[in-house]
Structures are given as structure tokens and as C-alpha cells.
């Protein structure tokens, strides 16, 4: 009896009433039992056609089905209901709409259970969620997938003025996904995920945005004034074509990452060569060189000084990379541009091929790099901080997933800030 009272409080369903509940022995269930609660239509109420949503008279009643509900004390709870078929004047005989279930969902999971699992799937990994609530991994996946698709359908895409485009590698770097973020201050979220990192991958975002705009009668594209990206050619090409009026900003995070990569290449080559000659001065120097000096401990700084006293290619590369950090302190785009030019000239004379390659690419992208300073001067910090702050978050959990669709769902779930369906009760 208490269970009925509780259900009426936490999960009332309009037009339906809860009936008897019972404990059923079930060896396959955790703790060897499940709770079944009967659900039936309120007397005299007519069901809704699942096709068109209109009310209609009952045609017949199908066999009872079980719907998974939020477990109680690690005992599975299922709602048992025999769906009616509605004789719809428009659609013919159709199964009724079940308001506790995802619309058009053939699954047996209630919305409450989907929300419950998906909420836990943000706090824990999907695998841990499945274990904690004794459901399959696929059930967690389906729950999150449904919540995400609800969110994508109901999200508000107006007011996007700054976006960031980024690529991420998954499956140990064998595959890529293209991510588009909104970078407006106070509204940073993932807007789009698509497979690959080609021109087509990014175009899909614009197709999505145009469609979303058309259905609301708004031009969502026109409001985008700033685009932040890395130096990947495919992206630059699409951005130029689709947003010719927007200020294109090359993301600081990617430039620093590329310089560090070049530095590390110089170090690795030289370390190998020195090792062959029997001198291990560069042994375990990787993090000393790549980390910013102020982040090193006293002992590490001492060790770094030991390395820096030698006349090595690595040391020259390190000093060049270190000097480039000063670029980001500039506020004036003009002076930042001049500093960049001077640095590139120095780098081109360095006789270090990886560093020269960086200098060439910085020269090629001088304009969008300097735009970073234009944005810093005039606009909000969100764009300038760019993808850096989001990068840390992005693949915390998604890495383990095999298929692209699971990664896609996980990323939207984690970073999309999607709206969720409202329920009377908060289950977790
Ligand atoms: Zn109908």
C-alpha cells in the first residue's frame, strides 16, 4: 500500500492509476526478486493514438508488458501494463501512446529509468553505472541515447556568436571526430560532433545549423562573428566559405601544442643520437623541457639548468620555444605581429628542421594568429581561452568506446548542456 502512495507521489501518470503491487521471486534478478506494480487506465478515460496523438475509443487490449522502473533497495521495479489499441479515426487501429515511455520507443524502459541511468552515467562511467544498477551496458547506452536525442531536439541554438572547431583522435589515434563548440561567455557547450576531419565533417555542422534555423524561422549562421580553430586546412577552407565575414582566430592552445611537438621531435632525435655516442644528458628530460618553467619543482629546475648549459640542438629549440611564450602577453595586435615576424626570422635561421616547419606555418597563418589579439582586445574572454579549457574535459569517459555513435552520444551527454525532460520527482 505504501508503494502505491509513493508511486502516486513520485511518478503520477495522468489518465492511469496504480493497482496492486507484489514481490515476484526472480532468480535472474539481483537479490533474487523484483517488484511488480500493476498500472491500468483510469475508468472512463480514453487512450491517445500513438500516431497522431488524438484520443480515440479502445479497440482491444494487448497482452501485458513490463516496463523497467527505478529500482528500490537494489530490487528491480517493473510497471505492468496491458496497452490498449485505439481505433483512431485518422490512422486506423493503433497502439496507444504510453506517457511514461519514450515517444515511439519500442523499448521497455520508462522515461524515469532512462533519466535515472543517464544521470548516473555522468557521475560514473557507463560500465560502473551498469554494474551499480544491475543492468546491461546496452541499457545504459540506450538510456543516455534517448536523453541525448530528447535534448538535441529541444535545445535552443539561438544566440551563438562564437564557435570553436576542433578535431579529436580516438581509437588510439586511428580515427578522428570533428567537434564544434559554442564559445560564448557563460554558454560554453558542445554543439556538434561528426565523424572524420574532412571538409564534409565540418560541413555537416553547417547543414545542421541551417536546418535548425529554418525550422525556427531564424538565421542562426548570421550571428556567428568569431570562429576559433586550429591550422587544419579542411577546416580553414570550410570556415572561409561558410563564414566569410567572421573573424577567424587561430587557437592559442593548438599553436603551443604544435611548438611543443616540434621541440619534442628535436629532443627525441638528438637523445637517440647522443645515446648511441654513450652520453645520456637528455635522458628523462622530456617533461623538464615541455613543462612551463614555473610549474617545475626546485629539483626539476636544477636538473633543467644542467641540461641547458650544454650547446645542444635541443637547448636551442627549447630557448626558441620558450621565447615564443612571450607572444601571448601582448595586447596590441600590431606589436604581437611584429614579435611573431621577428621570432619566425630567428627560427628560420635555427637550422632545426621541425622548428623551421613551425615558423613557416606560423607565417602562413599570420592573420588568424594576430586575430587572436584583436579578439582579446575587443571581445570576451571566452573566445580567447578558446578550446583549451574544454579540451581537458572532452574525452574523459568517451575514450573507451568502440563505435563512433557511442562516442557521439557520450560527448553530447557530457558537454552538450542539453535540456532534459521534466519529471515530478528527482530520483537521484
Ligand atoms: Zn491517430
Amino acid at each position: 500500500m505504501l508503494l502505491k502512495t509513493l508511486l502516486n507521489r513520485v511518478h503520477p501518470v495522468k489518465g492511469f492509476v496504480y493497482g496492486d503491487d507484489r514481490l515476484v521471486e526472480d532468480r535472474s534478478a539481483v537479490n533474487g526478486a523484483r517488484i511488480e506494480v500493476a498500472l491500468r487506465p483510469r475508468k472512463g478515460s480514453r487512450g491517445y493514438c500513438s500516431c497522431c496523438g488524438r484520443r480515440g475509443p479502445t479497440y482491444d487490449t494487448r497482452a501485458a508488458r513490463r516496463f523497467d522502473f527505478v529500482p528500490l533497495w537494489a530490487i528491480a521495479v517493473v510497471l505492468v501494463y496491458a496497452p490498449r489499441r485505439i481505433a483512431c479515426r485518422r490512422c486506423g487501429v493503433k497502439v496507444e501512446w504510453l506517457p511514461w515511455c519514450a515517444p515511439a520507443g519500442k523499448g521497455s524502459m520508462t522515461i524515469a529509468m532512462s533519466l535515472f541511468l543517464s544521470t548516473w552515467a555522468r557521475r560514473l562511467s557507463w560500465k560502473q553505472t551498469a554494474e551499480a544498477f544491475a543492468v546491461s551496458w546496452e541499457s545504459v547506452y540506450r538510456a543516455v541515447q534517448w536523453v541525448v536525442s530528447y535534448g538535441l531536439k529541444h535545445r535552443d541554438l539561438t544566440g551563438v556568436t562564437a564557435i570553436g572547431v576542433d578535431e579529436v583522435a580516438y581509437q588510439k589515434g586511428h580515427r578522428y571526430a570533428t567537434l564544434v563548440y559554442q564559445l560564448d561567455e557563460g554558454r560554453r557547450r558542445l554543439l556538434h560532433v561528426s565523424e572524420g576531419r574532412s571538409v564534409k565533417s565540418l560541413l555537416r555542422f553547417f547543414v545542421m545549423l541551417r536546418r535548425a534555423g529554418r525550422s525556427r524561422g531564424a538565421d542562426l549562421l548570421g550571428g556567428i562573428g568569431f570562429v576559433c580553430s586550429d591550422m587544419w586546412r579542411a577546416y580553414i577552407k570550410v570556415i572561409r566559405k561558410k563564414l566569410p565575414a567572421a573573424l577567424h582566430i587561430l587557437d592559442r592552445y593548438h599553436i603551443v601544442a604544435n611548438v611543443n611537438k616540434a621541440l619534442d621531435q628535436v629532443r627525441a632525435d638528438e637523445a637517440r643520437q647522443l645515446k648511441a655516442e654513450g652520453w645520456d644528458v637528455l635522458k628523462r628530460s622530456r617533461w623538464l623541457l615541455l613543462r612551463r618553467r614555473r610549474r617545475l619543482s626546485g629539483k626539476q629546475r636544477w636538473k633543467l639548468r644542467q641540461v641547458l648549459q650544454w650547446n645542444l640542438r635541443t637547448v636551442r629549440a627549447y630557448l626558441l620555444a620558450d621565447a615564443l611564450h612571450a607572444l601571448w602577453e601582448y595586447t596590441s595586435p600590431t606589436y604581437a605581429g611584429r614579435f611573431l615576424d621577428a621570432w619566425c626570422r630567428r627560427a628560420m635561421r635555427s637550422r632545426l628542421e621541425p622548428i623551421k616547419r613551425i615558423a613557416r606555418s606560423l607565417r602562413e597563418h599570420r592573420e588568424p594568429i594576430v586575430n587572436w589579439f584583436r579578439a582579446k582586445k575587443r571581445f570576451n574572454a571566452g573566445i580567447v581561452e578558446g578550446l583549451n579549457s574544454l579540451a581537458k574535459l572532452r574525452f574523459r569517459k568517451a575514450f573507451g568506446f568502440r563505435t563512433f555513435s557511442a562516442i557521439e552520444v557520450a560527448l553530447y551527454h557530457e558537454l552538450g548542456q542539453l535540456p532534459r525532460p521534466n519529471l515530478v520527482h528527482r530520483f537521484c
Side-chain angles (χ1 to χ4, degrees), residues 7-20:
L7 275 166
N8 276 320
R9 187 193 169 102
V10 304
H11 193 252
V13 195
K14 217 178 152 196
F16 298 84
V17 289
Y18 289 104
D20 296 334

Side-chain angles (χ1 to χ4, degrees), residues 49-54 88-92 94:
C49 167
S50 61
C51 225
C52 67
R54 283 156 199 265
C88 180
R89 262 192 285 167
R90 267 201 185 180
C91 323
K94 292 280 169 193

Side-chain angles (χ1 to χ4, degrees), residues 270-339:
E270 195 171 35
R272 210 174 301 125
Q273 187 198 330
L274 292 180
K275 200 183 165 199
E277 293 167 12
W279 192 29
D280 62 355
V281 62
L282 287 176
K283 206 175 164 190
R284 287 195 207 108
S285 66
R286 184 160 190 237
W287 294 112
L288 297 179
L289 294 165
L290 290 182
R291 206 166 282 170
R292 296 300 305 274
R293 214 180 293 205
R294 60 169 184 272
R295 292 230 197 120
L296 297 177
S297 69
K299 197 179 162 197
Q300 285 170 325
R301 265 179 231 189
W302 181 82
K303 272 168 105 181
L304 178 65
R305 273 200 298 277
Q306 301 305 304
V307 176
L308 293 184
Q309 63 179 327
W310 300 103
N311 180 18
L312 295 170
R313 289 203 301 280
T314 305
V315 172
R316 276 193 290 128
Y318 175 83
L319 294 176
L320 272 166
D322 198 46
L324 189 60
H325 284 302
L327 172 67
W328 307 108
E329 305 304 323
Y330 280 89
T331 46
S332 149
T334 316
Y335 285 108
R338 278 185 205 162
F339 177 89

Side-chain angles (χ1 to χ4, degrees), residues 334-407:
T334 316
Y335 285 108
R338 278 185 205 162
F339 177 89
L340 185 66
D341 296 338
W343 187 88
C344 288
R345 278 196 301 275
R346 250 180 87 193
M348 288 310 285
R349 287 196 302 262
S350 69
R351 283 171 284 128
L352 302 164
E353 200 38 54
I355 297 288
K356 279 164 79 178
R357 217 162 28 226
I358 290 288
R360 267 182 237 120
S361 112
L362 293 182
R363 271 180 180 168
E364 189 190 333
H365 299 98
R366 187 184 191 274
E367 195 56 22
I369 294 171
V370 173
N371 278 346
W372 188 83
F373 297 92
R374 296 196 177 106
K376 185 176 165 184
K377 228 180 145 192
R378 285 188 293 175
F379 309 105
N380 71 48
I383 306 160
V384 172
E385 263 179 54
L387 309 171
N388 194 3
S389 53
L390 289 161
K392 282 173 250 159
L393 282 169
R394 57 191 177 192
F395 260 22
R396 213 174 61 216
K397 283 179 211 147
F399 263 137
F401 300 151
R402 292 246 180 84
T403 64
F404 175 74
S405 3
I407 288 173

